[in-house]
Short mmCIF file of all heavy atoms in Angstrom, two decimals:
data_model
loop_
_atom_site.label_atom_id
_atom_site.label_comp_id
_atom_site.label_asym_id
_atom_site.label_seq_id
_atom_site.Cartn_x
_atom_site.Cartn_y
_atom_site.Cartn_z
N ALA A 133 77.92 99.24 155.60
CA ALA A 133 78.05 98.15 156.58
C ALA A 133 76.77 97.99 157.37
O ALA A 133 76.34 96.87 157.66
CB ALA A 133 79.25 98.41 157.50
N ASN A 134 76.15 99.11 157.73
CA ASN A 134 74.88 99.04 158.48
C ASN A 134 73.78 98.40 157.67
O ASN A 134 72.83 97.84 158.24
CB ASN A 134 74.46 100.43 158.97
CG ASN A 134 75.14 100.82 160.26
OD1 ASN A 134 75.34 99.98 161.13
ND2 ASN A 134 75.49 102.08 160.38
N LYS A 135 73.84 98.49 156.35
CA LYS A 135 72.81 97.87 155.50
C LYS A 135 72.89 96.34 155.53
O LYS A 135 71.87 95.67 155.41
CB LYS A 135 72.97 98.31 154.04
CG LYS A 135 72.55 99.71 153.74
CD LYS A 135 72.80 100.02 152.28
CE LYS A 135 72.75 101.52 152.04
NZ LYS A 135 73.20 101.87 150.68
N PHE A 136 74.09 95.81 155.67
CA PHE A 136 74.30 94.37 155.55
C PHE A 136 74.61 93.66 156.87
O PHE A 136 74.52 92.43 156.94
CB PHE A 136 75.43 94.08 154.56
CG PHE A 136 75.13 94.58 153.17
CD1 PHE A 136 75.74 95.73 152.69
CD2 PHE A 136 74.23 93.93 152.35
CE1 PHE A 136 75.45 96.21 151.42
CE2 PHE A 136 73.93 94.38 151.09
CZ PHE A 136 74.56 95.52 150.61
N PHE A 137 75.02 94.39 157.89
CA PHE A 137 75.49 93.79 159.13
C PHE A 137 74.88 94.48 160.34
O PHE A 137 74.59 95.67 160.30
CB PHE A 137 77.02 93.88 159.23
CG PHE A 137 77.72 93.27 158.04
CD1 PHE A 137 78.19 94.08 157.02
CD2 PHE A 137 77.90 91.90 157.95
CE1 PHE A 137 78.82 93.54 155.92
CE2 PHE A 137 78.54 91.35 156.84
CZ PHE A 137 78.99 92.17 155.83
N ASN A 138 74.74 93.72 161.41
CA ASN A 138 74.33 94.28 162.69
C ASN A 138 75.62 94.61 163.44
O ASN A 138 76.24 93.73 164.01
CB ASN A 138 73.47 93.26 163.44
CG ASN A 138 72.92 93.80 164.72
OD1 ASN A 138 72.90 95.01 164.94
ND2 ASN A 138 72.44 92.92 165.57
N LEU A 139 76.04 95.86 163.39
CA LEU A 139 77.35 96.26 163.90
C LEU A 139 77.32 96.55 165.40
O LEU A 139 76.36 97.13 165.91
CB LEU A 139 77.82 97.52 163.18
CG LEU A 139 77.98 97.44 161.67
CD1 LEU A 139 78.34 98.82 161.11
CD2 LEU A 139 79.04 96.41 161.28
N THR A 140 78.41 96.21 166.06
CA THR A 140 78.57 96.60 167.46
C THR A 140 78.99 98.08 167.50
O THR A 140 79.41 98.65 166.49
CB THR A 140 79.66 95.76 168.15
OG1 THR A 140 80.94 96.08 167.58
CG2 THR A 140 79.37 94.26 168.05
N ALA A 141 78.93 98.68 168.68
CA ALA A 141 79.39 100.06 168.84
C ALA A 141 80.86 100.19 168.52
O ALA A 141 81.30 101.18 167.92
CB ALA A 141 79.10 100.54 170.27
N ILE A 142 81.65 99.18 168.85
CA ILE A 142 83.09 99.20 168.56
C ILE A 142 83.31 99.17 167.05
O ILE A 142 84.14 99.93 166.50
CB ILE A 142 83.82 98.06 169.27
CG1 ILE A 142 83.81 98.27 170.78
CG2 ILE A 142 85.25 97.90 168.75
CD1 ILE A 142 84.29 97.08 171.59
N GLU A 143 82.61 98.30 166.34
CA GLU A 143 82.74 98.23 164.88
C GLU A 143 82.36 99.55 164.23
O GLU A 143 83.05 100.01 163.31
CB GLU A 143 81.88 97.08 164.34
CG GLU A 143 82.37 95.72 164.76
CD GLU A 143 81.37 94.59 164.61
OE1 GLU A 143 80.19 94.85 164.28
OE2 GLU A 143 81.78 93.44 164.84
N GLN A 144 81.31 100.16 164.72
CA GLN A 144 80.90 101.47 164.19
C GLN A 144 81.98 102.51 164.43
O GLN A 144 82.28 103.32 163.55
CB GLN A 144 79.57 101.92 164.80
CG GLN A 144 78.40 101.07 164.35
CD GLN A 144 77.10 101.50 164.99
OE1 GLN A 144 76.83 102.67 165.15
NE2 GLN A 144 76.28 100.53 165.34
N ASP A 145 82.56 102.51 165.61
CA ASP A 145 83.63 103.46 165.93
C ASP A 145 84.83 103.25 165.03
O ASP A 145 85.42 104.21 164.52
CB ASP A 145 84.03 103.28 167.41
CG ASP A 145 85.03 104.33 167.88
OD1 ASP A 145 84.89 105.51 167.50
OD2 ASP A 145 85.92 103.97 168.66
N ILE A 146 85.20 102.00 164.79
CA ILE A 146 86.34 101.70 163.90
C ILE A 146 86.09 102.28 162.51
O ILE A 146 86.95 102.96 161.95
CB ILE A 146 86.57 100.18 163.83
CG1 ILE A 146 87.14 99.65 165.14
CG2 ILE A 146 87.50 99.83 162.66
CD1 ILE A 146 87.15 98.12 165.26
N ILE A 147 84.94 101.98 161.95
CA ILE A 147 84.64 102.40 160.58
C ILE A 147 84.54 103.92 160.50
O ILE A 147 85.12 104.55 159.61
CB ILE A 147 83.33 101.74 160.08
CG1 ILE A 147 83.50 100.21 160.06
CG2 ILE A 147 82.94 102.29 158.72
CD1 ILE A 147 82.19 99.44 159.90
N LYS A 148 83.82 104.52 161.41
CA LYS A 148 83.53 105.97 161.36
C LYS A 148 84.78 106.81 161.60
O LYS A 148 84.95 107.88 161.01
CB LYS A 148 82.47 106.31 162.39
CG LYS A 148 82.05 107.76 162.41
CD LYS A 148 81.26 108.13 161.20
CE LYS A 148 80.77 109.57 161.30
NZ LYS A 148 80.29 110.06 160.03
N HIS A 149 85.70 106.35 162.44
CA HIS A 149 86.82 107.22 162.87
C HIS A 149 88.19 106.77 162.39
O HIS A 149 89.20 107.33 162.86
CB HIS A 149 86.79 107.37 164.39
CG HIS A 149 85.53 107.99 164.89
ND1 HIS A 149 84.63 107.31 165.67
CD2 HIS A 149 84.99 109.20 164.65
CE1 HIS A 149 83.60 108.09 165.92
NE2 HIS A 149 83.79 109.24 165.31
N HIS A 150 88.28 105.84 161.46
CA HIS A 150 89.59 105.34 161.06
C HIS A 150 90.43 106.36 160.28
O HIS A 150 91.62 106.20 160.16
CB HIS A 150 89.47 104.03 160.25
CG HIS A 150 89.04 104.21 158.84
ND1 HIS A 150 87.71 104.27 158.47
CD2 HIS A 150 89.76 104.35 157.69
CE1 HIS A 150 87.64 104.42 157.17
NE2 HIS A 150 88.85 104.48 156.66
N MET A 151 89.81 107.43 159.80
CA MET A 151 90.58 108.43 159.04
C MET A 151 91.07 109.60 159.89
O MET A 151 91.65 110.56 159.37
CB MET A 151 89.72 108.95 157.87
CG MET A 151 89.59 107.99 156.72
SD MET A 151 91.18 107.48 156.00
CE MET A 151 91.69 109.00 155.21
N TRP A 152 90.88 109.51 161.19
CA TRP A 152 91.40 110.56 162.07
C TRP A 152 92.92 110.60 161.94
O TRP A 152 93.55 109.56 161.81
CB TRP A 152 90.96 110.26 163.51
CG TRP A 152 91.46 111.26 164.47
CD1 TRP A 152 90.95 112.50 164.71
CD2 TRP A 152 92.58 111.12 165.36
NE1 TRP A 152 91.69 113.13 165.66
CE2 TRP A 152 92.70 112.32 166.07
CE3 TRP A 152 93.50 110.11 165.58
CZ2 TRP A 152 93.70 112.52 167.02
CZ3 TRP A 152 94.50 110.31 166.50
CH2 TRP A 152 94.59 111.50 167.21
N PRO A 153 93.55 111.74 161.87
CA PRO A 153 93.07 113.09 162.10
C PRO A 153 92.58 113.83 160.84
O PRO A 153 92.24 115.00 160.93
CB PRO A 153 94.29 113.79 162.68
CG PRO A 153 95.45 113.14 162.01
CD PRO A 153 95.03 111.69 161.82
N LEU A 154 92.54 113.15 159.69
CA LEU A 154 91.97 113.79 158.51
C LEU A 154 90.53 114.18 158.76
O LEU A 154 90.10 115.27 158.38
CB LEU A 154 92.09 112.89 157.28
CG LEU A 154 91.69 113.49 155.94
CD1 LEU A 154 92.54 114.69 155.59
CD2 LEU A 154 91.79 112.43 154.83
N THR A 155 89.77 113.32 159.37
CA THR A 155 88.43 113.66 159.84
C THR A 155 88.60 114.11 161.30
O THR A 155 89.45 113.60 162.02
CB THR A 155 87.48 112.46 159.71
OG1 THR A 155 88.03 111.34 160.41
CG2 THR A 155 87.24 112.09 158.25
N PRO A 156 87.78 115.08 161.74
CA PRO A 156 88.09 115.76 163.00
C PRO A 156 87.81 115.01 164.30
O PRO A 156 88.41 115.31 165.31
CB PRO A 156 87.21 117.01 162.94
CG PRO A 156 86.10 116.66 162.03
CD PRO A 156 86.68 115.69 161.03
N ILE A 157 86.96 114.03 164.28
CA ILE A 157 86.58 113.37 165.54
C ILE A 157 87.45 112.12 165.72
O ILE A 157 87.43 111.22 164.89
CB ILE A 157 85.08 113.01 165.55
CG1 ILE A 157 84.26 114.30 165.42
CG2 ILE A 157 84.72 112.27 166.85
CD1 ILE A 157 82.79 114.08 165.25
N PRO A 158 88.19 112.05 166.83
CA PRO A 158 89.07 110.90 167.05
C PRO A 158 88.25 109.65 167.45
O PRO A 158 87.10 109.75 167.85
CB PRO A 158 89.96 111.33 168.21
CG PRO A 158 89.17 112.36 168.93
CD PRO A 158 88.30 113.05 167.90
N PRO A 159 88.89 108.49 167.34
CA PRO A 159 88.24 107.27 167.81
C PRO A 159 87.91 107.32 169.30
O PRO A 159 88.53 108.09 170.05
CB PRO A 159 89.32 106.19 167.54
CG PRO A 159 90.20 106.77 166.50
CD PRO A 159 90.22 108.23 166.77
N HIS A 160 86.98 106.47 169.71
CA HIS A 160 86.56 106.41 171.11
C HIS A 160 87.02 105.14 171.81
O HIS A 160 86.96 105.06 173.02
CB HIS A 160 85.04 106.52 171.21
CG HIS A 160 84.46 107.74 170.58
ND1 HIS A 160 84.79 109.02 170.95
CD2 HIS A 160 83.60 107.88 169.55
CE1 HIS A 160 84.13 109.89 170.21
NE2 HIS A 160 83.42 109.22 169.33
#
């Protein structure tokens, strides 16, 4: 997504943390 789009901090948080709790860091 970062290659093709200028992402907001919220968009980055959504993409990075949507697999919580399988991934350890929860959304912000």
Side-chain angles (χ1 to χ4, degrees):
N134 276 323
K135 286 179 196 171
F136 299 104
F137 305 98
N138 185 16
L139 301 175
T140 67
I142 292 170
E143 293 163 353
Q144 291 179 39
D145 186 40
I146 289 168
I147 298 167
K148 182 71 176 167
H149 299 115
H150 77 274
M151 285 302 290
W152 180 78
L154 186 60
T155 55
I157 300 172
H160 303 300

